[in-house]
Structure formats: C-alpha cells, structure tokens
Amino acid sequence: MFKSLRAMPYTKKKELYGLLFVLPWIIGFILFFIRPLITSIVYSFQNMELTPQGLKGSFIGWDNYFYALYKDPIFIREAVNSFVNMLYGVPLILVYSLFIAILIKNKFPGRGFMRAVSFLPVIIASGVLMQILKEDVFSQGMRGGVESVYLFTGTGISGLLVELGLGAGLIEVFNNVIARIFDLTWRSGVQVLLFLAGLHTIPSYLYEASSLEGARPWEQFWKVTLPMLTPMMLLNVVYTIIDTFTDYGNSVIMMIYNTAFSQIRFGYSSALAWLYCLAIAMFLGLVYLLLKKRIVYMQD
C-alpha cells in the first residue's frame, strides 16, 4: 500500500489528501444532514398543521413559493436589506482581514500572541453572543431604557457629512458601516487565517526579483502580493458571503426561524429557506464568474 502511494503522481496525491480532509464532512452530511434537507423540500410543497397526532401536511404545490414572492411584503424587503448589508459588509471584512494578516505575517516579539488574538473571536463568538455584545445593554439605565444601541455610532460624523453636501442615502450607508465596525471585525478571524496562509505561500524570490527591479514595498504589494493572493481572495469572498447570509442575526434567517417555530408554519418556512438558498447560490455563481478571470495561479 505504501509503495503504491509513493509511486502515485503528485496530482493524484493532492486529490487523495483533499478527499481525506473533506471525508468527515461528507460522512456528517450523509448521516445528519441529508434527511432533514429532503424533509424540508417536501415540507415546502405542503401546508403543515400541528395536530394531536403530530405534524401533518397536505400538498399545495407551489403556493408557498408564490405567496413568498408575490404576496408577502416582508420577505422581499428583508432579503433586499440582507443583500445590501452584504455589499458593504464583505469588502470591509476583506480589507480589514488582509491588513491584519500583513501586520502579523513577519516575525516580531509577541507575534504568536497577536495571531491568537486575531483568531480568538472565531472561538468564543456566536450569533447570540454577538447580538448581546453589539447592543449597549450595560448602559440602558443611563440612556432611558434604549433597547438596541450600537457600540459605535456615526451621529457625530453625520453633521460633518451633511455640511459636505452628501446625500441622505450615502450618509445612511456611512452610519451603517460605522455602527457595524465592532461586528465586522469580530467576523474576520477565519479570513485573517486564510490570508495569512496565502501570504506564506508566496515565494520570497518574487520579492527579491522585484526589489532588484527597483520596486518599493508599496509597489510590491500591488504587483506581487495582491495578485498572488487572488485564489485566497476568491475563497474568502465566498466564505464571507455565506457567513454573512447565514448569520444568526440576519433578518431573513430570523424571519425563517420565527415563521417555523413561533407561527408554526413549517411549510412556508421551508419555502422561504429554499428561496433564500437559491438566491445565495445564484449570487455566488455570479461572483465566481466575475472573479475567476482575475485569479493568478503559481503555474501562470
């Protein structure tokens, strides 16, 4: 067996190693996820009712999907808001993650501690915890019982932006970004780790050759570092988009959850979930088509 493994081509070894890494997820998907997935598809075409004998459903075809798309005023609005929040949230996370990864790449005293701190939010943060931290619960009494106040606000900057003549829509975007700075930085741990791994795969001879050609560090970043990080950039974009859309605090996710467990409408909730999943898949496909031509590989 070991002899055959040694004789195996390098590309085949990489494929085998990749399969071994993915195998636990495949086993978990088959054992724990595929049955609920099929059940949710079935539920989405039914009107589910809670009876003394248990949950029973009657087939209604595409009615749940039709109602969500054409009659429900909340779902479309929340889905659009979710996509808008993603459009300015994802670039902020990527820029912040790349900045931190570059800072902690080279050796310096305390580098290991700083790397641990950058990844700490992934370990301790969850959707519920982020919601508690994001809200200014410790000062409700001093502020007259305000239920939801962000840790950072853009009220001080709003006046300056108004004086500069910016429109109300652009000012609202600035305020939303500032209000979510704490949230966005805490969602950057995995991205920092991936960018850091990508930075360590860039050969040092590329920087040496560019230095001999007279390139400065700023030019090396744009001509060497950033192009060589494009594969990891695509991975981070996909991961961040999925993480943003499936976050516990996402309004669409909360709507799907409340529809199922508060309103006891499992059929309609399943239809909402599949419509949302389809929209995410289509958006990811569009992002991949836009970015795949900009990816630079080592063999290129």
Side-chain angles (χ1 to χ4, degrees), residues 18-34:
L19 178 61
L20 291 176
F21 277 112
V22 178
L23 190 60
W25 180 88
I26 295 176
I27 295 174
F29 178 82
I30 295 173
L31 293 178
F32 304 109
F33 193 72
I34 192 169

Side-chain angles (χ1 to χ4, degrees), residues 45-292:
F45 294 99
Q46 294 182 343
N47 180 29
M48 307 302 300
E49 295 181 352
L50 194 61
T51 65
Q53 291 75 29
L55 196 63
K56 293 186 176 181
S58 56
F59 182 78
I60 58 173
W62 297 91
D63 288 0
N64 285 328
Y65 293 93
F66 181 83
Y67 183 84
L69 292 174
Y70 298 104
K71 295 184 179 180
D72 191 341
I74 301 176
F75 174 67
I76 298 297
R77 183 181 71 241
E78 295 298 339
V80 171
N81 290 337
S82 178
F83 274 85
V84 171
N85 291 334
M86 181 277 306
L87 288 177
Y88 60 77
V90 170
L92 283 174
I93 291 176
L94 293 177
V95 171
Y96 171 82
S97 303
L98 181 57
F99 176 73
I100 296 299
I102 292 175
L103 286 181
I104 62 178
K105 176 197 172 187
N106 298 321
K107 292 183 179 181
F108 60 89
R111 183 181 68 166
F113 174 75
M114 292 304 300
R115 289 184 173 186
V117 169
S118 67
F119 194 70
L120 195 62
V122 180
I123 302 174
I124 66 174
S126 65
V128 178
L129 178 61
M130 284 303 303
Q131 191 67 20
I132 295 174
L133 290 173
K134 192 169 60 175
E135 294 177 0
D136 199 0
V137 294
F138 51 81
S139 62
Q140 286 184 8
M142 293 184 291
R143 299 194 180 187
V146 179
E147 294 184 358
S148 180
V149 180
Y150 285 108
L151 291 174
F152 302 101
T153 61
T155 53
I157 303 178
S158 296
L160 177 62
L161 296 177
V162 171
E163 293 181 0
L164 292 175
L166 298 181
L170 189 57
I171 293 176
E172 183 179 358
V173 171
F174 273 105
N175 288 335
N176 287 333
V177 170
I178 294 171
R180 288 169 171 80
I181 286 177
F182 180 79
D183 191 6
L184 295 175
T185 53
W186 270 66
R187 299 189 186 282
S188 305
V190 173
Q191 292 87 335
V192 171
L193 186 65
L194 292 175
F195 275 134
L196 192 59
L199 288 170
H200 282 290
T201 62
I202 301 176
S204 58
Y205 63 79
L206 294 179
Y207 293 103
E208 294 173 1
S210 61
S211 297
L212 292 175
E213 294 292 334
R216 299 177 180 178
W218 180 251
E219 295 169 331
Q220 289 178 342
F221 171 78
W222 289 105
K223 300 296 184 179
V224 178
T225 303
L226 204 57
M228 298 304 297
L229 280 179
T230 48
M232 204 61 69
M233 186 78 70
L234 177 61
L235 178 61
N236 266 335
V237 168
V238 172
Y239 173 83
T240 308
I241 290 174
I242 296 176
D243 185 58
T244 303
F245 280 142
T246 58
D247 177 61
Y248 175 81
N250 188 290
S251 58
V252 179
I253 297 296
M254 293 301 299
M255 178 185 177
I256 294 171
Y257 178 86
N258 291 329
T259 301
F261 298 102
S262 297
Q263 304 176 20
I264 318 298
R265 300 170 64 190
F266 291 101
Y268 185 58
S269 175
S270 299
L272 293 178
W274 277 105
L275 284 173
Y276 191 51
C277 180
L278 180 61
I280 295 173
M282 293 175 61
F283 185 78
L284 286 175
L286 179 62
V287 170
Y288 176 76
L289 291 176
L290 292 175
L291 296 181
K292 71 174 184 177

